[in-house]
């Protein structure tokens, strides 16, 4: 449990404040041992400088997505007031998954990675009744996050240690050079995936695979770490987790196909009353086209988009009138009294049980966030980064997006009838942008710059926007780097690749704030690689 990250409950990163272009290197076709040896526009793939890995023969972005009507969701209703934390089985192919069984925290686990594997994901799900719900660190209540630690490659190299300090560059934590990163709070269930940093992507891309052989790690959560950290109370070593390892087979390709499962918790009197109406809707077709264009930036083709109705008990319990509480409240209690995983949103996600390796997205009329900082309207929320691809129905197994009355709404006459219309002239396009952003989180992408301008993602090719450098001079005393106790948010308008130099990222799909004046939906090469190496992409 890293104190600086844990105390903020941040599903975001710290990173290097300045990421300069490398010097000219070897041309296409030349042998290489790392990307830094090649010319800036090239990568090192299978030890040769090249423009990109080969494309998948099954997909040419943006593809031709199919919109289909799915069957009813078979979610079992628990007794009223019950908090469920189900341990889910996988829907992935058997050869991809190794079931390590139930393991106690502190246990050393080993697994085999076959040759030709492109990514590795460790999925941990708590055995009900064994773990404490939260711990208290420096007076702040934190959810008991599950995170493997001391993860080692077959040659003994350390891939990830949850307590290891980060190196610093120019006053910022630099995680781009680490082999793995895990950020955020994922109680009860969590997915740890590699590669997700620049250094790891380079390693895997250059070799054409992740290191094959016997990997090892220690089963771990924050309650176990709490026992060895000063100022932390509530620690425990009682937890047991059901652990699976997913090895995604190669080859590494520059394209891939992604499916979506869409669950409706909307108002029956609204524009999307049920799944049948959604499948027949022209605006849904526009929404899917918008998603396709955005995913194409990651080299991903949107394949099948399946719409499903949820049981009435789910809608009435967790989204009455189509309104979902994302503030952590639930079970009839205020947010500060709700145990991790028992809030309405987490319980709603347990209904996402369609047997698909897809990204699972809920559409609601509105989202209510009563606990977050005053950073504007919360448009969407993802359960975890990355999501538990292939294990549908966990407490972190979904993303939710609010419609807020904008679906099909126009900012100029005829905008929603003109498919060429761009830049959010139709509200449907806003919903597509938000859904793609939340799906990006599910697939392993963090905010390029977090709201306070001090934390950045672990990818070297994404622009950053440090607060102390990029906000107007008269506002810099409110930056966290300058000692502000309640730091101001770094607005997209300060991060639009204008002046001063080094203040970019607002155009990126994964910037923390959606500003129609700057948002474009850009994705970088490395962001696309992280997306395509997720087990949800095939």
């Amino acid at each position: 449990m890293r104190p600086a990250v844990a105390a903020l409950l941040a599903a975001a990163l710290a990173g290097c404040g300045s990421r300069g272009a490398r010097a000219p290197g070897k041309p296409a076709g030349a042998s290489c041992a790392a990307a830094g040896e090649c010319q800036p526009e090239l990568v090192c793939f299978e030890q040769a400088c090249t423009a990109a890995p080969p494309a998948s023969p099954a997909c040419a972005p943006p593809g031709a997505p199919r919109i289909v009507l799915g069957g009813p969701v078979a979610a079992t209703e628990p007794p009223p007031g019950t908090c469920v934390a189900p341990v889910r089985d996988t829907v992935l192919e058997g050869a991809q998954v190794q079931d390590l069984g139930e393991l106690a925290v502190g246990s050393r686990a080993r697994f085999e990675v076959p040759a030709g594997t492109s990514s590795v994901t460790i999925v941990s799900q708590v055995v009900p009744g064994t773990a404490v719900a939260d711990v208290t660190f420096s007076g702040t209540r934190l959810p008991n996050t599950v995170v493997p630690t001391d993860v080692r490659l077959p040659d003994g190299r350390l891939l990830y240690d949850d307590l290891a300090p980060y190196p610093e560059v120019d006053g910022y934590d630099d995680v781009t050079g680490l082999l793995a990163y895990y950020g955020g709070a994922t109680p009860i269930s969590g997915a740890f995936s590699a590669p997700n940093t620049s250094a790891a992507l380079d390693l895997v891309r250059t070799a054409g695979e992740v290191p094959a052989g016997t990997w090892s790690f220690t089963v771990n959560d924050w309650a176990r770490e709490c026992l060895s950290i000063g100022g932390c109370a509530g620690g425990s070593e009682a937890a047991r987790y059901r652990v699976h390892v997913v090895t995604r087979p190669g080859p590494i390709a520059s394209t891939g196909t992604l499916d979506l499962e869409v669950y409706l918790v909307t108002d029956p009197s609204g524009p999307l009353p049920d799944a049948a109406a959604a499948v027949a809707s022209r605006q849904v077709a526009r929404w899917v086209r918008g998603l396709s264009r955005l995913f194409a930036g990651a080299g991903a083709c949107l394949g099948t988009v399946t719409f499903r109705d949820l049981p009435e008990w789910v809608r009435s319990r967790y989204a009455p009138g189509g309104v979902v509480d994302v503030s952590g409240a639930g079970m009839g209690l205020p947010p500060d009294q709700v145990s991790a995983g028992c809030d309405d949103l987490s319980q709603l996600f347990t209904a996402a049980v369609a047997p698909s390796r897809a990204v699972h997205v809920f559409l609601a009329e509105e989202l209510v966030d009563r606990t977050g900082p005053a950073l504007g309207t919360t448009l969407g929320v993802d359960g975890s980064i990355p999501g538990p691809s292939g294990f549908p129905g966990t407490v972190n197994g979904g993303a939710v997006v609010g419609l807020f009355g904008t679906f099909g709404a126009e900012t100029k006459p005829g905008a929603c009838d003109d498919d060429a219309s761009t830049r959010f002239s139709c509200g449907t396009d806003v919903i597509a942008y938000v859904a793609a952003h939340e799906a990006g989180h599910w697939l392993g992408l963090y905010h390029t710059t977090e709201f306070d301008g001090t934390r950045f993602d672990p990818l070297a090719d994404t622009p950053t926007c440090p607060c102390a450098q990029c906000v107007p001079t008269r506002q810099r005393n409110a930056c966290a780097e300058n000692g502000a106790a309640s730091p101001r948010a770094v607005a997209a308008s300060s991060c639009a690749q204008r002046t001063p130099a080094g203040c970019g990222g607002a155009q990126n799909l994964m910037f923390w704030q959606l500003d129609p004046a700057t948002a474009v939906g850009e994705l970088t090469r490395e962001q696309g690689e992280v997306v395509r190496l997720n087990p949800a992409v095939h």
Side-chain angles (χ1 to χ4, degrees), residues 270-288:
L272 294 177
D274 54 38
V279 170
S281 167
R282 291 180 59 194
Q283 284 306 304
V284 164
R286 181 188 182 97
W287 182 71
V288 170

Side-chain angles (χ1 to χ4, degrees), residues 189 263 346 349-350 352 360 362 383-384 387-388 391-399 442:
S189 69
Y263 304 84
S346 297
F349 286 160
T350 65
H360 296 249
F362 291 77
S384 61
F391 294 80
T394 73
V395 295
N396 294 317
W442 175 293

